Amino acid sequence: MPPSDTDTTPRNRDDDVIIRAKDVTVRFGSKTILDGLSLDVRRGEILGFVGASGTGKSVLLRTILGLNAKQSGTIEVFGVDYERADEAARLSVEQRWGVLFQQGALFSSLTVLENIQVPMREYLDISPKLMDELARLKIDLVGLAADAADKYPSELSGGMIKRAALARALALDPDIVFLDEPTSGLDPIGAADFDELIMTLRDTLGLTVYMVTHDLDSLFQACDRIAVLGKKKVLVEGPLQTMLDFEDDWVKSYFHGKRARYVVPKDENPYFSGNE
Ligand SMILES: Nc1ncnc2c1ncn2[C@@H]1O[C@H](COP(=O)(O)OP(=O)(O)OP(=O)(O)O)[C@@H](O)[C@H]1O
């Protein structure tokens, strides 16, 4: 679909594409999870990736990160086919992405500062003093108070843990971060604050964000584009309006359903009775 005048996301030129998945098929035994899936992620966008539970969102994320094998298809990240790349090319790709997994975000025996330094120790050859300074900058970047540096995860609230985990994902100044349900477990205000933070990072750092989410507020407020996983492939991708217009039972019930009633414009939501 050609970009419309109201589409403010980057144009789909090849050099704007950070991740290109083509015809990806992933099977576990006889069970096919992804079947010929294709998806582009563009530089500087927040892409929301949705789909019913158990459809393969995490499998795709893990496949992009090289943690799951695929049976066919290609995935290029920064133009590199990670699966086929040599060690040096892989290392350079790994330094350009950051990941915030849904579970096990932080090491409980390390302070926030030490957690953020884990990827630095693995990939950078810099002095402890510089590492401390860089980690404190990340703490500030994600909106945590300076004294969070010496706290352990058990001393932090859920929202602070997400921010600390994001700080760790940003440790190497990546071009893209992968977030697996970043607002799950947060109260609505904490979730909205986190969305704000992501948008600020996109705007100030030019960060690209790939966000697996079930959070309708995030999809409506923070995402530049949305991709829906269904029938083992990307069923539809595009800005919010494309989702609202798309003819498919699951997509319709998701984006126009009762839970969407507060975020979909009233005249586009059948659940508004007119008295609300
Ligand atoms: N390593 C694996 N071996 C076998 N089956 C797997 C493996 N990883 C995932 N699966 C299966 O793949 C399917 C998709 O799982 P996945 O975790 O990607 O779903 P999801 O869309 O992320 O779900 P949710 O929204 O609930 O997190 C599930 O049926 C799951 O059991």
Side-chain angles (χ1 to χ4, degrees):
M1 190 177 73
S4 72
D5 290 345
T6 53
D7 180 3
T8 54
T9 54
R11 299 300 178 242
N12 193 12
R13 294 201 321 265
D14 267 13
D15 58 355
D16 282 337
V17 175
I18 279 197
I19 297 176
R20 172 156 284 165
K22 272 185 103 171
D23 293 327
V24 172
T25 295
V26 175
R27 276 190 290 272
F28 295 112
S30 59
K31 194 169 167 192
T32 302
I33 308 296
L34 306 176
D35 189 10
L37 176 146
S38 296
L39 175 70
D40 283 351
V41 183
R42 305 173 193 169
R43 188 179 305 281
E45 74 174 353
I46 300 178
L47 178 85
F49 197 67
V50 293
S53 230
T55 44
K57 300 181 295 298
S58 299
V59 166
L60 178 62
L61 178 57
R62 292 176 59 80
T63 307
I64 293 172
L65 295 171
L67 301 171
N68 268 346
K70 54 183 160 45
Q71 274 61 47
S72 61
T74 54
I75 299 178
E76 288 184 1
V77 186
F78 313 114
V80 174
D81 184 338
Y82 184 83
E83 204 176 56
R84 289 162 199 254
D86 61 22
E87 174 102 21
R90 278 180 177 228
L91 273 176
S92 88
V93 167
E94 286 166 13
Q95 292 185 47
R96 294 178 69 186
W97 71 34
V99 188
L100 196 165
F101 285 112
Q102 196 185 348
Q103 312 291 350
L106 296 173
F107 296 109
S108 57
S109 59
L110 302 181
T111 64
V112 168
L113 191 87
E114 290 164 345
N115 262 286
I116 297 169
Q117 292 176 341
V118 169
M120 294 180 182
R121 283 182 207 285
E122 194 175 343
Y123 292 100
L124 307 180
D125 185 17
I126 55 175
S127 70
K129 185 168 177 290
L130 182 55
M131 224 185 298
D132 278 357
E133 280 171 23
L134 289 175
R136 288 183 200 282
L137 281 175
K138 303 300 172 198
I139 287 170
D140 185 51
L141 184 66
V142 299
L144 284 174
D147 66 359
D150 300 319
K151 294 201 161 118
Y152 287 90
S154 59
E155 300 173 282
L156 304 178
S157 70
M160 290 166 81
I161 287 179
K162 299 278 185 186
R163 281 172 194 264
L166 181 63
R168 189 176 62 187
L170 295 170
L172 302 177
D173 294 326
D175 294 292
I176 181 166
V177 286
F178 297 94
L179 311 176
D180 196 355
E181 301 199 25
T183 57
S184 75
L186 298 185
D187 64 55
I189 295 171
D193 286 348
F194 195 89
D195 285 343
E196 280 289 332
L197 172 61
I198 298 295
M199 288 188 279
T200 303
L201 295 175
R202 173 201 58 193
D203 296 340
T204 55
L205 305 179
L207 191 68
T208 305
V209 180
Y210 177 105
M211 175 158 69
V212 176
T213 185
H214 287 292
D215 187 333
L216 277 163
D217 289 318
S218 299
L219 290 166
F220 279 81
Q221 273 141 40
C223 293
D224 299 302
R225 287 194 316 130
I226 297 165
V228 177
L229 182 58
K231 299 177 184 143
K232 305 182 200 294
K233 48 184 61 154
V234 172
L235 206 54
V236 55
E237 62 181 297
L240 180 60
Q241 193 60 48
T242 305
M243 306 299 121
L244 296 174
D245 296 342
F246 192 69
E247 291 294 335
D248 171 85
D249 286 349
W250 189 86
V251 176
K252 274 208 170 317
S253 66
Y254 193 84
F255 287 97
H256 292 274
K258 283 186 179 155
R259 303 206 64 179
R261 63 191 308 213
Y262 298 108
V263 279
V264 177
K266 286 182 185 178
D267 55 355
E268 292 174 30
N269 190 326
Y271 288 97
F272 275 99
S273 65
N275 301 324
E276 295 158 84

